[in-house]
Amino acid sequence: MNVGIVDSAMTATAKTLGAFSKWKPVRALGKQFDKDLGTALAWTTVGSIVAKDGVGCAMYVYQSKHNKEIPDDRRRFVTATDLTNGVLMIVAQIALYMGMRKFSEPIFNKVFKKSFNDETMRNIVSIVRKLQKSMGVDPSRKIEIIDKINKLRQNGLDIFKFVLDLAAATIVAKRIVVPFVAIPLASRLEKKMLADEMKAKGLTPAEDENKGDKSTPSMTGKVEEKVAKVEEGKNLDTGSTNLLSKYKN
Amino acid sequence: MKVEKTTTNYVSSNGVKAPRVRRTPSFKGSPVQQVATEAVKAAEKFDMEKTILNLLPAKKAFEIMDKFKAFQGEAGGILITALGTGIVAPIVIGTNPLVKAKPGATEEEKQEVKNKKWYTAWRQPISAILAIFFQLGAQKPIDKVLDKVYNDPKYSQYVDLYKDQSAVRGESYVKKLVKADMDKKSMRKSTLFDYIKDYKGAKARNKKYNEAFKEAVANAMNSDIEKVAQTIRQEGVIKVGERVIDNPTLAELLNRTIDDSLAVARKLRINEKSLAHYTNKAELLMMNEERIREVFKNVPQDSASLETYLKKALANEQNKEVQEIINDVLKKPKDMRLSRIERTLERIDYIADMCGGKGKYTPDKYLQAMSERNGVLDNIITKLNLNKIKDLKNVTKEQIQDAISQFIKNSTFDKNNELYNSILHDTQAFDCVKKMEDGKLVNPLEEKVYKDIAKAYKKFVSNNYKAVNQLTKVMVGVGITLPITCTALNIIYPRFMALVFPEMSGIKKSPKVEEGGAK
């Protein structure tokens, strides 16, 4: 009975996956993988990371924009930060990934220069042939040994490139560059959003009271004080872990 | 199966022609054939890739990179992202100088901003651990289902033909089958208990198991290749269950196989730059042939004595060109000097052979011989290029079969033709060795070509499968495991912080927050 259920489930899965595998875009992707496996794998992996960030960004922006528990003035900043973070993450990751792809091979060549220079290649060829002779094996042709060395080099290069390109995108761009750029940009976006809102209401945006103070409003605690007055005594903790939703406390 | 004795002439370092054991041996039992059998056994044991890896100065780095190969793809992306999220992000967030207290803030306010920064920073390692747990954890079950669907003919009949691996099963699927088979035969790996009871015995048992496992996997995969090769040879098609690979794809696979042989022929060709180098080198060797032979005659075999001998020879040598050659040897690592000497002497013999024998060397003859070699290779390159099927769209089964026959013919050379033999010997793409099979003289290259097409087909299907595998993982990641990870983070993060860092969470300051709890 159980075997029958498992088998039916597997057949249904196979039929679904089968239809998916015959889908034109999947076939086209298959062609790309067949053409250049390393590049296709790397691009789909970075595509996956960017897609996840895109979905995450959309979720956060939607959540913060519609979260009525966040006071209006804070909601703008939270939404602005989520949006700036998301867009910057996607753009920076793609940019650094593409940039690093041009540098990773020269870096590999520099790091492993000693392993693949002419002298080492010649030495490896001689030692391999010597070992073969000592074992009673026909010494291989030079091109065969060089081919094997190049294959080993190519395998190493593929993995090195994969790791370095992705590390540049997901570690340097996403975790180092974006956090430093996102906060000041979010402040600008927040001001623009406020100006747009005021304009829509037919009001003139107020003069900046804190001229010269470059700190982010929500972080300096200025808005926080105002909110504390308005919402005094109310427990605003929703348990949300949205990065900036914590500002409401 | 009978295999004919196969030997070719080999000019040894001392210039004497000695019988040279070829890769395809005889098994008739004579002393020469016994040597051949042993040579084959040794060749089987000789793992060139492992040897080369051991010789690389950056051996360790390449071993580590090789281990990471299994993670190339979605799993690698998850791991690298988690590394950034778990280690780099908290440091950047926690120490971000752009997020600071307002000017003139009190110590308490400053502490509050610091707490907020680190509160936010702690979210990252928790998020990374959850991503590894859910997203990386999902990879194996996905692979398990996909492996079954795309390798088991019962289910693979529903998938795209180019991704159906049932005729050339993937390694991970074959490993699973072999393991199940070995389990059935009650063959198992040693457990921790076995090791405690009898360490040596358990270790030996494990070694035996691993060897048997590796062999069974290799045999199963080879058998797939052989079956596909056999079908192409006999029926002119690639069968995948009830389905058949279309002619244009089969023709494309043949073209790729021809391309591999073309690459070998092109590498054997001597280009203009190398021609000048070889001519100068030949001149240097041949003009000093007598003296070189004299210096390198009866050299000591152990490296210490050889070094003393070479240094002494260098000091006593008047001829600057010979000094240069001795210096070349001395520049080599100690354990390679002897083989360098042998290679130099071999080179002299080889150049002499190219010019028609001992004492017949002239630069012109050598250049002419080199041009002649290139001519032979150019001829092969032209023929192989003509073998390739141009009109892939309208190609017929018969045309493919004909192209394969022509390809085999153009890759086989007459072993009695010394020129061809000297250029193409021991290249796996070209062969002259014939063997007896069921009373008939057959060309083993024929078998190799069909196997190569089968291997090209395996690579083609495997690459297409990798595309759908990767895409499925991305879709599952974005659509299922990412929302699960986010939800889990929403639940775990506030609770973890409240439990481990109550002060950072502001619980002490606002007891009401604690009352409300982390939802």
Side-chain angles (χ1 to χ4, degrees):
Chain A
M1 180 67 183
N2 275 346
V3 176
I5 293 169
V6 171
D7 195 45
S8 302
M10 273 306 291
T11 307
T13 310
K15 281 181 180 173
T16 313
L17 287 172
F20 175 65
S21 70
K22 288 170 191 165
W23 192 33
K24 258 190 177 178
V26 181
R27 277 190 172 160
L29 190 71
K31 269 188 188 171
Q32 287 306 314
F33 267 68
D34 188 38
K35 208 171 151 191
D36 185 352
L37 182 66
T39 308
L41 260 178
W43 271 109
T44 46
T45 307
V46 84
S48 161
I49 292 163
V50 164
K52 283 175 191 166
D53 284 340
V55 171
C57 168
M59 277 168 68
Y60 282 141
V61 170
Y62 181 84
Q63 275 175 8
S64 43
K65 209 174 174 186
H66 294 88
N67 192 345
K68 297 290 175 198
E69 285 190 53
I70 304 174
D72 281 352
D73 52 355
R74 252 160 214 253
R75 201 187 308 155
R76 267 194 307 274
F77 183 70
V78 171
T79 310
T81 309
D82 282 340
L83 186 65
T84 321
N85 240 330
V87 172
L88 274 178
M89 263 195 232
I90 292 169
V91 173
Q93 285 185 103
I94 294 175
L96 224 69
Y97 174 77
M98 285 174 79
M100 188 46 93
R101 279 192 79 76
K102 288 193 176 170
F103 292 107
S104 45
E105 188 164 352
I107 293 171
F108 176 90
N109 289 339
K110 207 163 186 182
V111 173
F112 299 109
K113 199 177 166 185
K114 271 190 181 171
S115 288
F116 300 104
N117 61 21
D118 286 351
E119 185 64 24
T120 312
M121 297 275 244
R122 272 199 296 270
N123 287 347
I124 291 175
V125 171
S126 298
I127 296 173
V128 168
R129 293 166 64 99
K130 190 181 157 192
L131 277 171
Q132 286 176 319
K133 275 184 198 172
S134 70
M135 286 178 80
V137 181
D138 241 6
S140 298
R141 293 283 297 257
K142 191 177 168 184
I143 56 158
E144 194 187 334
I145 304 170
I146 298 277
D147 264 357
K148 294 266 192 232
I149 301 174
N150 285 335
K151 201 179 153 195
L152 207 70
R153 182 192 167 275
Q154 191 59 46
N155 279 343
L157 175 66
D158 283 348
I159 299 158
F160 185 86
K161 264 180 87 72
F162 180 84
V163 173
L164 205 68
D165 298 347
L166 274 184
T170 64
I171 298 177
V172 180
K174 187 175 175 178
R175 298 301 178 194
I176 299 174
V177 178
V178 173
F180 280 100
V181 186
I183 300 285
L185 269 181
S187 299
R188 285 188 177 200
L189 189 62
E190 182 194 17
K191 279 176 193 165
K192 197 185 172 299
M193 284 164 89
L194 179 66
D196 289 348
E197 255 178 57
M198 301 280 270
K199 210 176 167 184
K201 288 177 187 168
L203 299 167
T204 323
E207 283 291 307
D208 190 356
E209 293 167 20
N210 307 299
K211 226 172 185 177
D213 179 7
K214 303 283 182 198
S215 56
T216 308
S218 301
M219 275 296 179
T220 55
K222 282 175 224 106
V223 185
E224 204 169 41
E225 283 157 21
K226 283 180 204 165
V227 175
K229 278 174 197 167
V230 177
E231 309 278 335
E232 207 173 2
K234 191 181 172 190
N235 177 15
L236 291 171
D237 189 10
T238 60
S240 160
T241 55
N242 192 327
L243 271 186
L244 292 155
S245 64
K246 287 287 148 196
Y247 299 147
K248 66 185 179 288
N249 295 327
Chain B
M1 184 186 79
K2 283 180 181 177
V3 181
E4 194 191 44
K5 180 184 118 179
T6 50
T7 57
T8 56
N9 290 331
Y10 171 64
V11 183
S12 76
S13 56
N14 55 11
V16 178
K17 285 194 174 187
R20 185 183 193 193
V21 182
R22 292 299 304 256
R23 283 200 177 92
T24 310
S26 158
F27 297 102
K28 283 180 185 171
S30 74
V32 174
Q33 286 132 24
Q34 193 119 21
V35 171
T37 314
E38 278 163 19
V40 166
K41 276 185 188 168
E44 278 169 3
K45 273 187 193 168
F46 186 79
D47 187 340
M48 197 192 285
E49 274 170 38
K50 210 172 171 184
T51 310
I52 292 171
L53 182 68
N54 284 328
L55 292 170
L56 286 181
K59 177 196 164 193
K60 277 272 163 222
F62 277 82
E63 276 175 349
I64 293 168
M65 285 196 280
D66 196 50
K67 278 181 186 153
F68 196 79
K69 204 174 169 62
F71 292 98
Q72 206 181 354
E74 185 64 5
I78 294 167
L79 269 181
I80 296 167
T81 309
L83 200 73
T85 313
I87 297 169
V88 183
I91 298 167
V92 174
I93 295 170
T95 59
N96 192 346
L98 294 173
V99 180
K100 55 190 175 190
K102 65 178 178 181
T106 61
E107 277 308 308
E108 202 183 336
E109 283 171 329
K110 280 181 187 168
Q111 186 58 40
E112 182 59 21
V113 171
K114 201 177 164 192
N115 276 351
K116 269 181 187 170
K117 282 203 285 187
W118 281 105
Y119 184 89
T120 311
W122 263 102
R123 184 177 183 261
Q124 308 304 318
I126 299 170
S127 158
I129 292 167
L130 290 174
I132 290 178
F133 182 75
F134 288 111
Q135 295 179 30
L136 202 64
Q139 305 296 304
K140 217 175 175 183
I142 296 173
D143 273 331
K144 207 176 164 186
V145 172
L146 292 182
D147 260 0
K148 183 99 177 152
V149 170
Y150 285 87
N151 285 283
D152 186 338
K154 190 174 168 188
Y155 306 113
S156 68
Q157 57 175 311
Y158 301 112
V159 307
D160 183 31
L161 180 61
Y162 293 166
K163 298 170 188 81
D164 183 348
Q165 299 198 105
S166 59
V168 277
R169 296 163 298 174
E171 196 178 347
S172 56
Y173 183 72
V174 171
K175 277 181 176 171
K176 230 171 280 166
L177 292 182
V178 170
K179 197 183 171 299
D181 190 47
M182 286 171 87
D183 285 348
K184 258 188 203 170
K185 290 174 187 164
S186 300
M187 288 169 80
R188 62 169 181 88
K189 271 188 160 186
S190 301
T191 59
L192 188 66
F193 182 67
D194 295 329
Y195 272 102
I196 295 165
K197 225 166 65 177
D198 173 18
Y199 181 80
K200 274 189 180 173
K203 204 177 168 188
R205 183 176 163 179
N206 247 11
K207 198 184 166 195
K208 204 177 160 191
Y209 178 93
N210 286 339
E211 278 171 5
F213 180 78
K214 214 173 158 184
E215 199 186 333
V217 170
N219 284 345
M221 289 173 78
N222 280 340
S223 149
D224 283 354
I225 293 289
E226 270 167 22
K227 274 183 208 161
V228 173
Q230 197 70 5
T231 321
I232 304 170
R233 197 174 183 174
Q234 286 169 353
E235 300 174 42
V237 290
I238 295 177
K239 278 186 176 171
V240 190
E242 297 294 311
R243 300 183 283 181
V244 172
I245 291 284
D246 52 280
N247 288 335
T249 304
L250 181 56
E252 170 62 27
L253 296 173
L254 170 64
N255 282 355
R256 287 180 192 186
T257 312
I258 296 173
D259 279 337
D260 289 342
S261 292
L262 272 167
V264 174
R266 287 191 185 111
K267 278 177 200 160
L268 288 169
R269 211 182 170 284
I270 298 155
N271 61 31
E272 289 302 314
K273 199 179 151 196
S274 303
L275 202 62
H277 167 79
Y278 283 128
T279 314
N280 290 337
K281 194 86 184 166
E283 185 76 357
L284 180 73
L285 292 174
M286 300 315 280
M287 296 322 283
N288 301 289
E289 184 185 349
E290 298 286 310
R291 184 73 194 124
I292 294 167
R293 284 194 192 282
E294 209 179 308
V295 173
F296 290 157
K297 193 179 171 187
N298 301 327
V299 288
Q301 298 295 302
D302 68 293
S303 58
S305 311
L306 181 64
E307 184 165 358
T308 317
Y309 173 85
L310 288 172
K311 280 182 178 166
K312 203 175 159 189
L314 184 67
N316 294 336
E317 186 58 53
Q318 302 298 313
N319 186 329
K320 282 197 172 171
E321 287 177 338
V322 178
Q323 276 179 4
E324 193 185 319
I325 291 161
I326 299 170
N327 250 329
D328 268 356
V329 178
L330 274 167
K331 274 183 204 161
K332 292 273 168 193
K334 279 183 182 176
D335 60 338
M336 286 177 53
R337 287 172 184 161
L338 206 58
S339 69
R340 177 70 185 179
I341 291 170
E342 281 178 21
R343 187 92 185 113
T344 305
L345 294 171
E346 274 176 18
R347 186 111 205 107
I348 293 173
D349 292 333
Y350 184 64
I351 296 164
D353 267 2
M354 281 179 80
C355 298
K358 202 170 167 18
K360 289 186 179 170
Y361 166 83
T362 64
D364 283 347
K365 270 188 188 171
Y366 182 66
L367 263 175
Q368 197 190 336
M370 300 274 260
S371 308
E372 216 174 314
R373 280 174 63 95
N374 276 352
V376 167
L377 289 162
D378 286 342
N379 192 20
I380 291 172
I381 290 168
T382 310
K383 280 182 180 171
L384 291 184
N385 265 323
L386 286 171
N387 266 166
K388 285 172 76 175
I389 295 166
K390 309 289 179 302
D391 185 7
L392 290 175
K393 248 186 180 176
N394 303 310
V395 69
T396 63
K397 197 168 100 175
E398 289 69 32
Q399 281 172 324
I400 296 171
Q401 286 293 69
D402 186 47
I404 294 174
S405 305
Q406 285 299 317
F407 173 45
I408 294 166
K409 196 180 153 199
N410 290 329
S411 304
T412 311
F413 59 91
D414 179 3
K415 72 173 175 181
N416 295 319
N417 186 327
E418 274 185 30
L419 180 60
Y420 272 71
N421 201 23
S422 71
I423 302 167
L424 303 172
H425 74 89
D426 287 328
T427 51
Q428 291 182 1
F430 304 97
D431 212 337
C432 63
V433 188
K434 305 266 189 208
K435 64 178 183 178
M436 292 297 286
E437 213 173 79
D438 300 329
K440 274 185 189 172
L441 199 61
V442 296
N443 184 356
L445 196 70
E446 204 171 313
E447 193 181 321
K448 187 191 168 288
V449 164
Y450 285 107
K451 270 192 180 176
D452 283 350
I453 300 170
K455 282 178 190 167
Y457 165 66
K458 186 181 170 115
K459 197 176 168 192
F460 168 78
V461 178
S462 164
N463 285 345
N464 271 280
Y465 166 70
K466 276 176 188 156
V468 79
N469 178 296
Q470 173 82 347
L471 200 60
T472 310
K473 283 176 178 169
V474 172
M475 288 173 78
V476 171
V478 175
I480 303 171
T481 49
L482 177 68
I484 292 174
T485 311
C486 288
T487 311
L489 184 64
N490 254 355
I491 297 166
I492 294 167
Y493 168 60
R495 283 171 172 77
F496 173 83
M497 293 306 286
L499 193 75
V500 184
F501 303 109
E503 200 169 315
M504 214 184 272
S505 313
I507 288 173
K508 277 183 185 170
K509 283 181 186 174
S510 334
K512 281 183 180 176
V513 174
E514 201 175 18
E515 277 168 29
K519 287 110 193 164

